[in-house]
Amino acid sequence: MKKKIIVPYDFSEVANNAIHHALVTAKVVGAEVHAIHVVNKNDEIKDAKEKLEKSVNAAKESSKAPEVETVNHVRVGNIFDDIADFAVEIGAELIFMGTHGATGWQHITGSHALKVVTSSPAPFVIVQQHDISDNGYDDIVVPLDLHKETKQKLTLVANIAQYFDSRVHVIIPDESDEFLKHTVKANIVFANKFFNERGIEVTTTLADSSGFDKEVVKHAVKVDADLIAIMNLQKHQLLGLFGSNHEQYMITNEAQIPVLIVNPIDATNTYQTIFT
């Protein structure tokens, strides 16, 4: 079956950027892109369909991806309630969504948007204004903490890296506790072995565990990263690694680097095998 990518689309500038990311990715991995727009009433569907088709076609031309198959959907409902069901319905493997920062229905923080991420079996890439190059994702930063579930995202990152010939930059919090130091060293060995075995160039960096979210963004800027990959470790807390108080800082980071959010694989989303 052909891979499927979803883009919630509201005709904003960041939504245009999200669909650009999706089209470039789809071109490389051989996927089709499903753009979905949600309206409030049935009598809005016809105009929305025409506008959506025009916008997506323009995006395909500007992205130099006219060959990518696109499917447009307009539904009546609430984007926050519908996107997870839609992802399951079509078997989507990845969702690209723009964030407006402090305003807009695509703002990723808050209870409704958090529900979108945590309820979906498909991982999200949250984008702001940072565009994707024709090469895709050359450099990917991967924070790796001491939770065992965090390692699940490495397979996804490796698959993306192999498609785009990316360099992976693993960043690990430095710990003062001797026991934790041993775990940190083990994680460094694990990450190097994992990516080296797959022929992926990898670097590992230790960073201050205090303010680790800021260290991650700082490192991403330093290596000119195109993507930061994080794990959603708690169902009701977006970033188990950083703490919920830092979620907005991470996803709406000032460098505007796109953020990949992966939910842990469990019985509800075991088909999460993107880009295999």
Side-chain angles (χ1 to χ4, degrees), residues 6 16 41 69 74 90-91 100 132 164 182 185-186 219 242:
I6 292 176
N16 286 332
K41 299 179 292 185
E69 183 178 350
V74 176
I90 70 169
H100 299 289
I132 184 172
F164 290 103
H182 176 76
K185 290 179 181 178
H219 189 60
F242 307 104

Side-chain angles (χ1 to χ4, degrees), residues 45-71:
I45 292 177
K46 182 180 178 182
D47 289 344
K49 280 184 175 179
E50 294 175 356
K51 187 177 179 182
L52 183 59
E53 182 176 4
K54 183 178 180 180
S55 296
V56 171
N57 287 338
K60 289 171 71 172
E61 291 300 321
S62 64
S63 302
K64 300 178 183 177
E67 71 276 25
V68 173
E69 183 178 350
T70 54
V71 184

Side-chain angles (χ1 to χ4, degrees), residues 1 10 40 66 76 88-89 104 123 127 144 147 166 170 199 217 237 265:
M1 292 178 62
D10 68 346
N40 295 318
V76 177
V88 173
E89 177 186 321
V127 305
L144 188 63
H147 292 86
S166 313
V170 175
V217 174
Q237 179 176 303
I265 297 173

Side-chain angles (χ1 to χ4, degrees), residues 148-221:
K148 63 180 181 179
E149 294 88 354
T150 305
K151 294 177 181 177
Q152 289 183 9
K153 70 186 171 193
L154 298 187
T155 299
L156 174 55
V157 170
N159 290 339
I160 294 174
Q162 287 175 323
Y163 271 108
F164 290 103
D165 194 22
S166 313
R167 294 172 291 272
V168 172
H169 307 271
V170 175
I171 180 169
I172 300 173
D174 197 5
E175 300 288 349
S176 56
D177 180 86
E178 285 302 317
F179 175 77
L180 295 180
K181 273 183 175 291
H182 176 76
T183 306
V184 165
K185 290 179 181 178
N187 276 351
I188 292 174
V189 171
F190 177 86
N192 281 322
K193 184 173 184 289
F194 182 91
F195 289 110
N196 285 331
E197 286 179 345
R198 290 157 178 78
I200 298 168
E201 183 180 341
V202 59
T203 66
T204 54
T205 301
L206 287 174
D208 191 345
S209 59
S210 175
F212 187 57
D213 54 349
K214 294 178 175 60
E215 292 297 323
V216 170
V217 174
K218 189 187 302 182
H219 189 60
V221 171

